[in-house]
Amino acid sequence: MKNRKILVAASACAAAIIIIAVVLLLVIDRGVKAVDTTSYLETTAELEAGSELKALPDSSQGVPGMKLVADNAELSLYFNPETTEVAVKDKRQNRVWYTNPEKRNEDTIASPYEKEVMSSQVSVLFRDSVGTLNTFTNFGKSISSKQFTVESIASGVRITYTLGDMSLGIDALPKYISKARMEEKLVSKLDASQARYVSTRYYPKEGSPDILERLDEQVSKQLVLNKMIAAFQAAGYTEEDLAFDNAENGVTGSGGSDKPTFTIPIEYRLDGGELLVSVPVSHIKESGAFKIGSIELLNFFGAADSNTEGYIFVPDGSGSLINLNNGKVKEEQYVQKVYGFDPNDNSWRRGQVTESARMPVFGMKAGDAAWFAVIEKGDAIASIAADVSGRKNGYNYAYTSFALRGEDELELYTGATIQEIELLNEQIYTGDIQVRYSFLPSEQASYSGMAEHYREKLVKEQSLQPLSGEKALPFYLTITGSVDKRKSMLGVPYDSVVSMTSFKEASQIAMQLKQDGVDRLMMRYSGWFGKGVNHKTPVKLKTDDVLGSKQDLAALAKQLEDAGGMLFPDVAFQQMYHDDGGFAPSSDAARFVTREEAELYPYNRALNRMDMFLGTYYLLSPAKLPYYVDKFMNQYDKLGMNGLSLRDLGGMLVSDYRVSRVVQRETAKEIVKEQLGKLDERIRETMVAGGNSYAFPYADHLIDVPTDSSGFLITDEEVPFYEMVVHGSVDYAGKAINLSDEQDTKLQLLKAIELGAAPYFSWTYEPSSKLKFTHFDTSFSTSYKDWYDQAVAMYKEANAVLAPLRSETMMEHIRHQEGVVEVKYSNGSSIIVNYTDQAATVGGVTVAPQHYSIGGEQP
């Protein structure tokens, strides 16, 4: 009895322990509150009601072979009902732009398939149930077989394409049919030969002799299938008959379900002097196990032939030009994701280190005319591609593709063999896609004109606002405070936090800069709380003891503001460096398509892959971002800071492929914008690193903006398109000068003057050697004493040149020759920069080697 009581007690104790463990697991690992991500995505619930297509009366010469379907004071929209091509006639320039090349069938380079692509308006890239990639063009799989409908809509036209083989397949024949209906509907209505042919392809079902089952092994052969379908049609067997037999025998589905078919609507609308092209993705239909990965839209809109002079503009870094017909057919085609690659990728390697495309724009100058495109919806899931004539066809072209699903690789290990399977996530993007095409007059047909056009659009939308007031040029400075460092005691390793620049040491640097004439010091302080630069979850803001107290931090902020500057404590929201009590990876981290937690490592350029020895971090699910921003601000408000630096909120977008809550990049962008808006309301000045275009309305300062291109081999020229758009609306700087690959400060100064960028450095008070054997040993050149004199001299010279132009817009950028450029401003000033080692003369002005000249109609 005693043993039994002990056993009962032990059992009860064990049960209690299990219950407590389960409860603790649920409490600890449940994660923080997620937002309803579906509310962030703009989706076309119902399509605009269309009507029968009717051609409008056209008093002009029109476009041969096309009907006028929409018209306004500036543009006319024409449509070819046979090929579904669209043409836009710009009445202002008397120029016609086509969705497809007019003379594509005369192209001697293009293969039959390439001519099919050139005749298409959309291509669908999809995978089957085993991951095999296939491509359908709407010409080959829809237009050529007349599988489309056309409707008139307000100011435009809608074409709905059905892509795929719509011919009757094996499921056009009933899988099961009763003997009575076989006799009634088929045998009795066919001649003896046909009746026998049909009857022998059906056999009594096992266990149900009155039901006949289709012999698929025989019927699936194409010749047999053709004869069977012909016999059923001869007997008058209808779709209603098929539906009845399927329903009677519990069969779901009907003809053609074994083939990939897709329904895709495309809408064209005139909007003043611009063309809107949209795809309401929520109305795309897929079939069976076939899933769309991405779609390509208007690959050949405005394409230029091999006799046209001009260039394609692409938003690579600061901007790049691809000269038409440049002959670089052996180089890779230009393809780049808008807003940079998605870090939610389980591949350890990256293709190449590149600059990001931070603006959703592209365009083409063809002769004395130009078109310019802005991706207005779906930009975060978009990629921009461009190519030149001579590779696949005789045309130069640029277009967008949209990733409607996330894609990743799953590695299966079978012994010594590794099999890679391409996976698509189940849930498709359901928002809208929209691209706006503008047509520029001859005097604006250049990349400078494109930048002016885009800047005016952003100002009109209040995404950019002109700067006001005369101020000195900012001096941007990142101070590294504390970092985590592995130490050991008696051979036992432990994690510690070491100071690289305390609050009081930062104060000394600021005081010295003020004394030496730096009046607008914008200090970004990285590594001030949560155990260093790679800080803890940003919900508890305790300053690191090795740096000083909160009072010391507040004193530093006041000192800077009194001197005309600002302190910007730095925080990362989307990269979680610690698995602590405020962050549960299993619930709060984003997921790869493979369903693993998105745990990543910094990229090692030497190894061309991620390196776990450089640390680790998780990607936060965008659905959890609002929680952390709110928690952070509730604590940050108490510090009384007027500035804030956002390390990753304006320059990176993260998707989340958690099965129960898919968050694609377009949704993530809208969530990020909402958080940026909240922060902007509560903070006087915000500093954004990276500077994707959606962050412009919320940024008072931009750092790490692109000042170079990636140097893709297919490109021909680097241009400061990014700077031409933002100059005069927000202060900005490129990468930290002392950490740049280019260490010639004279060339760096010339580059800053050309780009209108403020000087920017990254410093530590302690010598850089103290960072050795930390995750930051790549910052080998940060000791401020090594750079101080050069930095002050550079700032004073840049300030003298650029401060008077700070609120002016860049109107034109001209490359007079290799290494000699000119920048013209809205107040009439111009700056000529000579990077070469020889004197250069421009417009009668001689500029010394590696120097600049300020001229024009100066104020």
Side-chain angles (χ1 to χ4, degrees):
M1 178 67 78
K2 183 177 180 180
N3 290 338
R4 184 177 178 184
K5 288 182 178 179
I6 293 174
L7 181 61
V8 170
S11 300
C13 183
I17 291 173
I18 292 172
I19 292 171
I20 291 172
V22 170
V23 170
L24 286 174
L25 182 63
L26 291 173
V27 171
I28 294 173
D29 206 38
R30 68 185 176 187
V32 302
K33 184 179 180 181
V35 295
D36 178 12
T37 58
T38 60
S39 62
Y40 289 87
L41 203 59
E42 183 178 349
T43 301
T44 301
E46 294 185 10
L47 294 178
E48 174 190 331
S51 60
E52 182 182 353
L53 181 69
K54 292 183 180 179
L56 301 177
D58 189 3
S59 58
S60 70
Q61 294 181 353
V63 177
M66 293 192 172
K67 297 180 179 180
L68 179 65
V69 293
D71 195 41
N72 63 30
E74 297 164 289
L75 301 177
S76 297
L77 185 66
Y78 290 86
F79 175 72
N80 187 323
E82 297 297 319
T83 63
T84 74
E85 294 172 77
V86 168
V88 182
K89 185 174 183 179
D90 187 348
K91 300 177 183 179
R92 302 160 297 185
Q93 310 298 318
N94 194 29
R95 177 71 182 255
V96 180
W97 300 95
Y98 295 86
T99 56
N100 305 86
E102 289 182 273
K103 299 180 180 180
R104 57 188 178 275
N105 292 325
E106 302 172 17
D107 194 326
T108 58
I109 300 175
S111 66
Y113 175 75
E114 284 301 319
K115 289 182 179 180
E116 180 182 303
V117 175
M118 287 194 288
S119 298
S120 299
Q121 293 79 41
V122 64
S123 296
V124 178
L125 285 73
F126 66 96
R127 293 189 183 275
D128 59 21
S129 57
V130 295
T132 304
L133 180 65
N134 295 277
T135 302
F136 278 178
T137 66
N138 75 318
F139 181 83
K141 296 295 183 179
S142 177
I143 298 171
S144 58
S145 52
K146 304 299 181 183
Q147 295 172 183
F148 61 87
T149 61
V150 184
E151 301 171 280
S152 289
I153 54 177
S155 302
V157 63
R158 177 192 301 127
I159 308 104
T160 303
Y161 299 98
T162 300
L163 287 74
D165 183 1
M166 299 303 291
S167 62
L168 296 176
I170 192 171
D171 288 332
L173 310 176
K175 175 68 174 175
Y176 301 103
I177 186 171
S178 66
K179 284 184 176 181
R181 282 183 59 80
M182 172 66 81
E183 178 64 31
E184 175 191 353
K185 295 292 182 180
L186 294 156
V187 174
S188 63
K189 297 181 180 180
L190 298 172
D191 60 41
S193 175
Q194 284 183 310
R196 185 167 55 253
Y197 192 88
V198 170
S199 299
T200 55
R201 270 69 185 177
Y202 278 85
Y203 195 79
K205 182 180 179 182
E206 185 176 353
S208 301
D210 291 333
I211 303 296
L212 301 176
E213 181 178 357
R214 188 180 65 208
L215 299 179
D216 287 355
E217 187 175 347
Q218 293 184 29
V219 176
S220 61
K221 297 174 182 178
Q222 194 61 51
L223 182 61
V224 176
L225 178 60
N226 292 343
K227 288 185 177 181
M228 289 287 287
I229 290 176
F232 272 66
Q233 290 176 339
Y237 190 84
T238 65
E239 291 185 10
E240 289 75 16
D241 291 327
L242 176 62
F244 179 89
D245 288 322
N246 285 340
E248 186 176 55
N249 295 285
V251 176
T252 59
S254 58
S257 62
D258 59 329
K259 301 177 182 180
T261 58
F262 308 99
T263 302
I264 300 180
I266 300 180
E267 299 178 340
Y268 301 89
R269 290 181 174 87
L270 297 183
D271 183 15
E274 298 170 320
L275 172 68
L276 288 180
V277 183
S278 57
V279 179
V281 181
S282 59
H283 292 270
I284 288 179
K285 296 179 181 178
E286 302 170 299
S287 65
F290 302 97
K291 294 182 174 59
I292 298 176
S294 61
I295 62 172
E296 297 175 351
L297 185 64
L298 297 188
N299 297 45
F300 288 87
F301 182 92
D305 64 25
S306 57
N307 297 316
T308 305
E309 294 184 356
Y311 49 75
I312 301 169
F313 161 73
V314 293
D316 169 33
S318 61
S320 285
L321 305 181
I322 303 172
N323 291 335
L324 304 185
N325 312 303
N326 65 11
K328 297 181 179 181
V329 296
K330 294 185 179 180
E331 310 301 343
E332 288 188 10
Q333 176 187 7
Y334 169 84
V335 180
Q336 205 169 23
K337 288 182 178 293
V338 176
Y339 307 135
F341 77 95
D342 187 344
N344 189 354
D345 180 350
N346 70 353
S347 172
W348 280 69
R349 294 189 179 276
R350 297 290 183 262
Q352 53 186 298
V353 179
T354 63
E355 296 289 337
S356 294
R358 299 199 177 276
M359 295 181 175
V361 297
F362 60 103
M364 180 184 292
K365 173 181 171 60
D368 61 352
W371 58 263
F372 179 68
V374 180
I375 309 169
E376 294 188 326
K377 297 178 182 179
D379 44 309
I381 60 170
S383 294
I384 295 171
D387 208 350
V388 296
S389 66
R391 187 198 310 272
K392 297 179 180 179
N393 52 66
Y395 290 88
N396 307 269
Y397 54 97
Y399 65 94
T400 52
S401 64
F402 298 87
L404 303 187
R405 282 188 169 89
E407 186 168 353
D408 219 331
E409 288 183 354
L410 177 65
E411 293 184 344
L412 298 180
Y413 294 82
T414 54
T417 304
I418 301 177
Q419 183 181 4
E420 294 181 348
I421 298 177
E422 297 291 336
L423 296 179
L424 293 174
N425 71 290
E426 287 292 327
Q427 185 174 319
I428 193 171
Y429 168 75
T430 57
D432 290 339
I433 287 170
Q434 182 168 290
V435 183
R436 181 182 293 270
Y437 291 88
S438 302
F439 310 101
L440 307 182
S442 57
E443 63 272 15
Q444 205 178 14
S446 65
Y447 63 87
S448 296
M450 295 177 189
E452 179 184 8
H453 181 86
Y454 187 47
R455 179 178 61 247
E456 290 175 350
K457 171 181 167 63
L458 294 179
V459 169
K460 183 178 179 180
E461 296 169 351
Q462 297 189 331
S463 293
L464 289 176
Q465 293 295 320
L467 291 170
S468 59
E470 295 183 3
K471 290 184 179 180
L473 195 68
F475 180 90
Y476 290 107
L477 177 62
T478 287
I479 288 292
T480 299
S482 60
V483 299
D484 58 301
K485 187 170 186 177
R486 179 62 63 94
K487 294 183 178 180
S488 64
M489 178 178 290
L490 301 176
V492 179
Y494 67 95
D495 293 327
S496 67
V497 178
V498 298
S499 172
M500 294 301 297
T501 314
S502 69
F503 298 139
K504 291 184 178 179
E505 289 167 344
S507 173
Q508 292 179 36
I509 295 174
M511 188 180 302
Q512 188 175 352
L513 287 170
K514 177 65 176 177
Q515 291 171 352
D516 289 330
V518 177
D519 295 326
R520 276 192 81 202
L521 174 58
M522 301 297 161
M523 181 182 287
R524 177 194 189 211
Y525 204 107
S526 182
W528 59 279
F529 80 100
K531 296 189 176 181
V533 175
N534 293 346
H535 55 70
K536 288 186 174 182
T537 308
V539 292
K540 293 182 179 179
L541 304 185
K542 181 181 183 300
T543 56
D544 289 334
D545 294 335
V546 296
L547 301 178
S549 64
K550 289 184 179 180
Q551 289 74 23
D552 294 330
L553 179 65
L556 174 61
K558 185 177 187 304
Q559 173 191 337
L560 287 167
E561 290 187 41
D562 289 345
M566 182 71 71
L567 179 66
F568 297 86
D570 183 65
V571 62
F573 283 113
Q574 298 188 90
Q575 299 173 93
M576 295 292 180
Y577 300 99
H578 295 270
D579 177 5
D580 53 33
F583 174 78
S586 62
S587 299
D588 299 329
R591 296 281 180 136
F592 298 135
V593 173
T594 56
R595 303 186 184 183
E596 305 162 276
E597 295 166 7
E599 183 179 10
L600 300 174
Y601 310 93
Y603 183 81
N604 188 323
R605 292 178 64 179
L607 300 176
N608 191 33
R609 60 176 292 160
M610 291 189 292
D611 188 350
M612 65 175 59
F613 293 105
L614 296 179
T616 181
Y617 60 93
Y618 291 95
L619 296 176
L620 178 69
S621 169
K624 304 299 183 81
L625 179 60
Y627 171 88
Y628 287 104
V629 170
D630 291 342
K631 282 288 185 180
F632 173 83
M633 283 308 302
N634 289 339
Q635 296 289 317
Y636 196 70
D637 283 341
K638 299 174 184 177
L639 297 178
M641 295 288 122
N642 291 318
L644 179 65
S645 167
L646 303 173
R647 188 186 311 175
D648 58 12
L649 208 54
M652 183 175 77
L653 286 178
V654 177
S655 56
D656 180 8
Y657 298 111
R658 182 179 296 270
V659 176
S660 59
R661 185 191 60 239
V662 173
V663 185
Q664 292 183 317
R665 277 177 33 122
E666 185 69 15
T667 305
K669 181 194 73 176
E670 296 303 320
I671 295 174
V672 166
K673 286 170 60 179
E674 181 187 66
Q675 307 319 301
L676 288 170
K678 290 193 298 189
L679 293 169
D680 186 48
E681 289 180 359
R682 296 170 70 169
I683 301 293
R684 185 192 302 174
E685 293 188 26
T686 55
M687 180 182 291
V688 172
N692 290 336
S693 60
Y694 56 79
F696 289 168
Y698 318 103
D700 298 288
H701 304 271
L702 295 170
I703 61 170
D704 291 331
V705 305
T707 56
D708 303 285
S709 69
S710 303
F712 294 121
L713 294 177
I714 195 173
T715 61
D716 295 287
E717 185 178 336
E718 182 179 283
V719 296
F721 183 92
Y722 186 101
E723 286 74 17
M724 295 186 76
V725 171
V726 301
H727 194 280
S729 294
V730 60
D731 291 314
Y732 59 87
K735 299 178 180 64
I737 289 171
N738 57 305
L739 298 180
S740 171
D741 293 339
E742 176 58 70
Q743 290 292 287
D744 187 329
T745 54
K746 180 63 175 178
L747 289 178
Q748 297 234 38
L749 174 62
L750 293 178
K751 186 78 170 179
I753 289 174
E754 178 194 354
L755 302 183
Y760 171 38
F761 288 83
S762 179
W763 286 348
T764 57
Y765 189 87
E766 296 288 339
S768 307
S769 58
K770 196 172 179 180
L771 291 172
K772 195 167 181 61
F773 304 118
T774 73
H775 299 149
F776 309 96
D777 59 4
T778 53
S779 300
F780 51 79
S781 184
T782 58
S783 179
Y784 91 97
K785 294 177 182 179
D786 296 337
W787 289 93
Y788 185 85
D789 291 340
Q790 296 178 70
V792 171
M794 179 183 288
Y795 171 75
K796 288 182 177 179
E797 189 167 356
N799 184 54
V801 177
L802 298 176
L805 302 172
R806 177 177 161 269
S807 60
E808 303 295 331
T809 56
M810 285 186 187
M811 299 304 297
E812 189 175 10
H813 179 269
I814 307 168
R815 192 173 302 278
H816 292 287
Q817 65 185 65
E818 188 62 33
V820 180
V821 297
E822 182 178 5
V823 183
K824 296 183 177 181
Y825 285 87
S826 53
N827 67 346
S829 297
S830 70
I831 300 176
I832 302 172
V833 180
N834 179 12
Y835 290 96
T836 73
D837 56 4
Q838 301 289 328
T841 301
V842 176
V845 177
T846 300
V847 185
Q850 296 193 4
H851 203 65
Y852 57 89
S853 174
I854 306 171
E857 301 174 5
Q858 301 177 51

